[in-house]
């Protein structure tokens, strides 16, 4: 019997995953090119897999035999992302060591120190939104611009280079990118990151890239390749997920005015962030994990050497965990053991920063434009063509009666 295709033709990937979830908590599917891998679709399955990181599951693609024995073609379009040498493909001691190098920059205390600068960026961008008037598209003007500015300032990426970085990220994560373009994109991004590290060696600044370069030069336990591996993940994932978190939140609040009124009245933007992460997670599916042994997840057997993707969007809508109202956006919902920023040893290192950025952005947007409305039917919002990270590509708005 043939495996169900993922993504399915002419079906939203989330709808596909919810349909597959009716079959089992974990389902084997055929990815583009007919490549078989598993999707974990329920809250329980996702949590069990995340808890097994570095023990039952590995992230290094060397643990996926099909990638190396000729089963998967060399020109498979997802190789560029699956085989990328970055922090998310490191395991065990290497992962802990590299994570420790950047973790100190994302402690709650360090992130709080960034709040004035983030607020300054938010206010400046909203000045431009108001000046642009009705029809302004919040994606390029706000939801993309803010996370890009924050992460690029943090890592010392010059402003003229930021549009290229955004373009490379979008191309790498889109499942519609042709194989040749995907490989060339990865090659260009890596060349840029090696060049950035070298420029910071010659002319260091007060940024995390300069700090990593100094750590490499004083400690032979960090190589240039590993330094670039950290930069790849932090610069790509460090903005992409927050871009879509903001976009999903604005779309959800526009469709649920009662929730928007409750959030504005009680300054509950932190609750909006947490519910958005559950309701429409920026990460449709994580990059693959690979089974180090035969394993049973949510009562489903997965053989050793298999690739498994955790589907955050489907697990967030799991009625077994969230009840009959799982598909409803509700900021009063008890979150408890939510997986918004993961679970276990790979819990998102940038969670404090993402929460702060998103809370400040949403609070300021709706304080400045309390009557904003979408200038597009919610059903017509275009979404990124990716089953890794997904979010609105365009959110044109009308400013409403009284911008403040």
């Amino acid at each position: 019997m043939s495996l169900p295709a993922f993504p399915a033709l002419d079906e939203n990937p989330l709808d596909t995953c919810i349909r597959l979830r009716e079959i089992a908590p974990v389902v084997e599917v055929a990815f583009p090119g007919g490549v078989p891998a598993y999707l974990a679709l329920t809250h329980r399955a996702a949590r069990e897999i995340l808890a097994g990181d570095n023990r039952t599951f590995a992230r290094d693609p060397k643990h996926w035999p099909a990638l190396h024995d000729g089963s998967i073609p060399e020109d498979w379009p997802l190789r560029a992302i699956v085989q990328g040498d970055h922090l998310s493909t490191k395991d065990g001691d290497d992962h802990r060591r590299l994570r420790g190098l950047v973790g100190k920059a994302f402690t709650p205390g360090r992130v709080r120190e960034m709040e004035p600068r983030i607020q300054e960026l938010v206010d400046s961008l909203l000045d431009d939104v108001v000046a642009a008037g009705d029809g302004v598209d919040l994606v390029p003007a706000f939801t993309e611009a803010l996370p890009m500015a924050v992460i690029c300032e943090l890592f010392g990426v010059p402003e003229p280079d930021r549009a290229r970085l955004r373009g490379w990220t979008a191309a790498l994560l889109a499942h519609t990118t042709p194989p040749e373009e995907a490989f060339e994109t990865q090659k260009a991004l890596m060349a840029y990151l090696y060049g950035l590290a070298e420029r910071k060696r010659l002319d260091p600044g007060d940024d995390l890239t300069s700090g990593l370069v100094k750590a490499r030069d004083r400690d032979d336990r960090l190589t240039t390749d590993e330094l670039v591996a950290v930069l790849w993940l932090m610069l790509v994932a460090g903005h992409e997920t927050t871009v879509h978190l903001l976009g999903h939140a604005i779309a959800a609040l526009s469709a649920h005015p009662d929730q928007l009124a409750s959030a504005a009245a009680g300054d509950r933007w932190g609750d909006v962030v947490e519910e958005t992460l559950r309701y429409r997670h920026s990460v449709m599916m994580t990059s693959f994990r690979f089974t180090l042994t035969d394993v049973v997840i949510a009562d489903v057997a997965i053989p050793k050497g298999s690739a498994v993707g955790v589907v955050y969007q489907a697990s967030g809508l799991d009625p077994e965990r969230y009840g009959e109202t799982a598909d409803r956006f509700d900021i009063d919902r008890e979150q408890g053991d939510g997986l918004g920023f993961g679970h276990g040893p790979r819990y998102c290192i940038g969670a404090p920063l993402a929460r702060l950025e998103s809370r400040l952005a949403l609070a300021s947007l709706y304080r400045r434009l309390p009557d904003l409305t979408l200038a597009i039917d919610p059903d017509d919002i275009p979404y990124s063509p990716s089953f890794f990270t997904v979010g609105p590509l365009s959110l044109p708005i009308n400013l409403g009666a009284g911008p403040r």
Side-chain angles (χ1 to χ4, degrees), residues 5-292:
F6 185 75
L9 186 65
D10 298 328
E11 185 177 37
N12 181 297
L14 178 57
D15 292 337
T16 304
C17 289
I18 291 173
R19 175 170 55 81
L20 293 173
R21 195 180 62 203
E22 297 302 311
I23 300 173
V26 182
V27 177
E28 189 176 20
V29 299
F31 277 80
V35 174
Y38 289 82
L39 296 177
L41 301 162
T42 66
H43 180 87
R44 175 188 168 191
R47 193 172 179 86
E48 287 182 10
I49 289 171
L50 297 174
D53 274 338
N54 293 340
R55 294 184 290 107
T56 311
F57 292 89
R59 297 297 287 269
D60 190 327
K62 72 181 181 182
H63 296 290
W64 194 13
L67 201 62
H68 313 288
D69 64 9
S71 301
I72 298 176
E74 286 298 320
D75 64 350
W76 186 47
L78 298 185
R79 276 188 182 270
I81 188 88
V82 171
Q83 289 185 283
D85 182 20
H86 42 77
L87 184 56
S88 72
T89 61
K90 303 294 184 181
D91 293 308
D93 291 341
D94 284 340
H95 175 256
R96 285 186 287 271
R97 173 171 52 85
L98 296 176
R99 182 184 172 97
L101 288 171
V102 293
K104 295 175 184 176
F106 292 96
T107 64
R110 291 290 297 275
V111 169
R112 279 194 298 271
E113 293 174 3
M114 299 169 63
E115 182 168 349
R117 176 54 182 157
I118 295 173
Q119 186 65 62
E120 184 180 347
L121 289 168
V122 168
D123 292 340
S124 176
L125 291 170
L126 288 177
D127 286 344
D128 294 339
V129 166
V130 171
D134 287 347
V136 61
D137 191 339
L138 283 182
V139 172
F142 190 62
T143 68
E144 279 188 350
L146 176 64
M148 280 297 298
V150 171
I151 202 68
C152 287
E153 284 193 6
L154 196 59
F155 281 88
V157 175
E159 191 165 351
D161 296 345
R162 296 173 188 177
R164 279 193 298 163
L165 178 60
R166 179 65 193 149
W168 286 328
T169 299
L172 271 180
L173 295 175
H175 63 252
T176 54
T177 302
E180 313 81 38
E181 183 182 341
F183 284 110
E184 285 303 311
T185 299
Q186 173 70 351
K187 182 179 177 181
L189 175 55
M190 294 299 285
Y192 174 80
L193 295 177
Y194 278 102
L196 178 65
E198 178 60 14
R199 290 195 298 277
K200 294 299 181 180
R201 182 186 69 84
L202 297 173
D203 185 19
D206 184 21
D207 57 76
L208 290 184
T209 302
S210 296
L212 288 169
V213 170
K214 290 175 184 175
R216 177 203 62 185
D217 292 345
R218 68 172 178 260
D219 187 346
D220 60 9
R221 291 179 300 171
L222 177 66
T223 68
T224 299
D225 289 346
E226 289 175 331
L227 186 159
V228 169
V230 171
L231 292 178
W232 190 100
L233 185 67
M234 299 310 299
L235 286 171
V236 171
H239 83 271
E240 170 78 0
T241 48
T242 308
V243 167
H244 294 325
L245 169 56
L246 290 172
H248 283 307
I250 293 166
L253 291 168
S254 296
H256 298 82
D258 59 322
Q259 299 295 302
L260 172 56
S262 179
D267 195 24
R268 298 180 58 193
W269 304 108
D271 293 333
V272 171
V273 171
E274 300 307 317
E275 176 64 353
T276 301
L277 287 165
R278 181 205 67 85
Y279 177 73
R280 288 293 185 272
H281 203 291
S282 302
V283 178
M284 175 75 202
M285 185 196 84
T286 64
S287 54
F288 289 123
R289 287 160 166 81
F290 310 104
T291 50
L292 297 173

Side-chain angles (χ1 to χ4, degrees), residues 68 203 222 237 253 265 284 323 325 327 354 358 365 372 385 404:
H68 313 288
D203 185 19
L222 177 66
L253 291 168
M284 175 75 202
T325 64
D327 61 351
S358 301
L365 173 66
L372 77 82
R404 299 172 185 172

Side-chain angles (χ1 to χ4, degrees), residues 272-334:
V272 171
V273 171
E274 300 307 317
E275 176 64 353
T276 301
L277 287 165
R278 181 205 67 85
Y279 177 73
R280 288 293 185 272
H281 203 291
S282 302
V283 178
M284 175 75 202
M285 185 196 84
T286 64
S287 54
F288 289 123
R289 287 160 166 81
F290 310 104
T291 50
L292 297 173
T293 184
D294 293 347
V295 63
V296 175
I297 296 295
D299 302 323
V300 176
I302 306 175
K304 177 182 178 180
S306 299
V308 184
V310 174
V311 184
Y312 277 127
Q313 278 202 351
S315 66
L317 299 176
D318 183 2
E320 185 176 316
R321 166 61 183 85
Y322 295 103
E324 295 179 357
T325 64
D327 61 351
R328 190 168 70 203
F329 184 79
D330 180 5
I331 64 173
D332 291 320
R333 188 184 306 277
E334 181 272 321

